[in-house]
Amino acid sequence: MRKMQFLYALRSKGVTDKRVLQAMETIDRGPFIRGIFSARAYEDMPLPIACGQTISQPSVVGLMTQALKVSPRDKVLEVGTGSGYQAAVLSRLARRVYTVDRHSRLVREARVLFDEMSLTNITAITADGSFGLPDQAPFDRILVTAAAEDPPGTLMEQLKPGGIMVVPVGQSDAVQHLIVVKKTETGVEYDELREVRFVPLLEGLGKDT
Ligand code: SAH
């Protein structure tokens, strides 16, 4: 029942892509939330996780994933592992997912969940994702799940021609816009999806190492 309400909320907020809905039906959001908030795991709201961060609202995860148009052959980079939920959803749609977070604790905890769920095509790394992942670049798709003041140039460089990047853009204390960036052979196309609120993309590693 909770699962049906969860999927209904996604659809009513514009998540209509069948593959995305299927992936979100398969990946249980429950284990990604700990403590008292776990009771609210199936509600369409962002919730607090460790290191003062948040797991995104499911409908926003759905809309971002949908906008990324991931194909089964794609190599995807996610900046901002957080709980690991978004990466887990992406792992059902892509060939390989690299996810990075500046907090090593979040990366460690997410890895345990990926193992428990047998999601073997995710590599989680502690790193400052503003520099992307030069060793694994270029990527077919890049998803940034923290707010940047502009679409980060380094990440644009690590996107393949024909690639898509989805990134919340704006000041962290104000409303941000979800931007879809398409890199074509001749230039770059920008599309604006909706208003969102994300924690900021910060420089350097977190102080929990
Ligand atoms: N996608 C996550 C939610 C992300 S919250 C989920 O599904 O749960 C945003 C995350 O971005 C936080 O965990 C924060 O530590 C991380 N972050 C912020 N700036 C970063 C940076 N420069 N490099 C890597 N991660 C960063």
Side-chain angles (χ1 to χ4, degrees), residues 2-19:
R2 283 195 306 185
K3 198 109 210 181
M4 275 178 65
Q5 276 165 359
F6 183 77
L7 291 171
Y8 179 78
L10 292 176
R11 280 198 206 91
S12 69
K13 299 215 171 130
V15 185
T16 51
D17 185 300
K18 280 214 180 70
R19 290 182 66 237

Side-chain angles (χ1 to χ4, degrees):
M1 192 55 210
R2 283 195 306 185
K3 198 109 210 181
M4 275 178 65
Q5 276 165 359
F6 183 77
L7 291 171
Y8 179 78
L10 292 176
R11 280 198 206 91
S12 69
K13 299 215 171 130
V15 185
T16 51
D17 185 300
K18 280 214 180 70
R19 290 182 66 237
V20 174
L21 286 167
Q22 240 168 40
M24 293 186 73
E25 190 174 358
T26 312
I27 302 293
D28 186 359
R29 190 171 181 246
F32 294 92
I33 298 157
R34 284 153 221 258
I36 50 165
F37 291 106
S38 59
R40 318 197 78 168
Y42 306 101
E43 293 176 31
D44 190 28
M45 52 168 64
L47 293 169
I49 56 170
C51 305
Q53 306 303 315
T54 50
I55 178 171
S56 313
Q57 188 176 351
S59 56
V60 171
V61 170
L63 289 172
M64 288 179 104
T65 310
Q66 184 167 283
L68 209 57
K69 296 197 167 72
V70 182
S71 97
R73 289 183 305 277
D74 286 348
K75 181 165 77 169
V76 182
L77 172 66
E78 180 198 23
V79 175
T81 311
S83 66
Y85 176 65
Q86 171 76 73
V89 170
L90 287 171
S91 79
R92 308 304 299 158
L93 300 166
R95 175 170 59 82
R96 174 113 230 134
V97 177
Y98 292 89
T99 180
V100 302
D101 203 288
R102 57 192 289 281
H103 286 287
S104 65
R105 173 178 169 192
L106 294 174
V107 169
R108 266 198 317 273
E109 293 181 352
R111 275 190 198 135
V112 171
L113 292 171
F114 300 151
D115 279 350
E116 282 172 8
M117 297 179 179
S118 304
L119 303 175
T120 52
N121 62 339
I122 309 177
T123 306
I125 299 168
T126 305
D128 179 349
S130 359
F131 300 107
L133 212 50
D135 289 355
Q136 298 299 336
F139 297 94
D140 300 288
R141 300 287 185 264
I142 299 179
L143 179 56
V144 185
T145 62
E149 292 192 7
D150 292 295
T154 316
L155 297 184
M156 279 304 295
E157 285 164 22
Q158 294 183 19
L159 195 59
K160 281 186 197 168
I164 300 177
M165 172 161 75
V166 175
V167 51
V169 172
Q171 304 283 340
S172 60
D173 54 356
V175 162
Q176 305 136 13
H177 295 271
L178 206 51
I179 305 291
V180 183
V181 188
K182 286 194 182 125
K183 191 171 183 175
T184 65
E185 297 290 346
T186 49
V188 182
E189 288 169 13
Y190 295 92
D191 219 354
E192 206 174 290
L193 273 190
R194 55 161 272 186
E195 293 183 348
V196 282
R197 290 211 75 150
F198 275 85
V199 297
L201 190 71
L202 298 173
E203 279 178 24
L205 293 186
K207 295 232 183 308
D208 61 309
T209 42

